[in-house]
Amino acid sequence: MENKPISNIDYNAFEGKWYSLYSIPTLLDKHWKQTTETYTLAGDDHFDVYTTYHKDGKAKEKSITSKLFFEEEKADGDMKAQFLWPFKIGYWVIELADDYSYVVVGHPEEKYLFIMAREPKMEADLLVHIIERCRQKGYNVSELVSQEHF
């Protein structure tokens, strides 16, 4: 299977809260648990993103804001995240449920992976199939860690 961004996303349907269930984390979120991301469509070129998380072993919830940009001339799933201006990091939506109940966000070089859903859990069979498809696309799924939503 080829690792590539999907072509069509209804950005209005994509809006809202997502629970990060499993990830191959970045340096920024390496020690985060119970992560949620809320996407709010802002204009015609990006989402404002509000992320909440708990650091490993800490009870206090923390948050950050960022932006997720998309460009009309690229596939809808080819996006760039901006945590600190002017730097942007490429992210690809590589899988999205027809009903927008889950999304898989990857990276052009298979470095990072995020399996997110609208609920804090997912059916085990579905998760196994998603992970297998990610493995076939070149991701090192042995590096996936749970976000430990309860």
Side-chain angles (χ1 to χ4, degrees), residues 10 17-18 50 69 86 100 123 134 136 143 145 147 149:
D10 177 342
K17 187 173 186 176
W18 293 93
Y50 178 73
F69 290 90
Y100 289 72
E123 290 182 26
C134 291
Q136 291 176 17
E143 294 179 3
V145 294
Q147 286 288 307
H149 287 281

Side-chain angles (χ1 to χ4, degrees), residues 11 14-16 37-43 46-50 68:
Y11 293 128
F14 195 82
E15 267 191 305
E37 294 190 354
T38 302
Y39 295 86
T40 304
L41 202 51
H46 77 278
F47 288 100
D48 287 332
V49 183
Y50 178 73
L68 189 63

Side-chain angles (χ1 to χ4, degrees), residues 98-135:
D98 291 340
D99 63 358
Y100 289 72
S101 59
Y102 76 85
V103 63
V104 182
V105 178
H107 183 268
E109 297 172 12
E110 298 94 19
K111 289 181 179 180
Y112 316 117
L113 186 67
F114 302 89
I115 300 170
M116 302 190 299
R118 296 293 189 177
E119 301 293 327
K121 60 183 181 230
M122 178 182 283
E123 290 182 26
D125 286 350
L126 176 58
L127 180 61
V128 166
H129 290 292
I130 290 170
I131 291 172
E132 176 55 23
R133 287 191 296 273
C134 291
R135 186 192 64 73

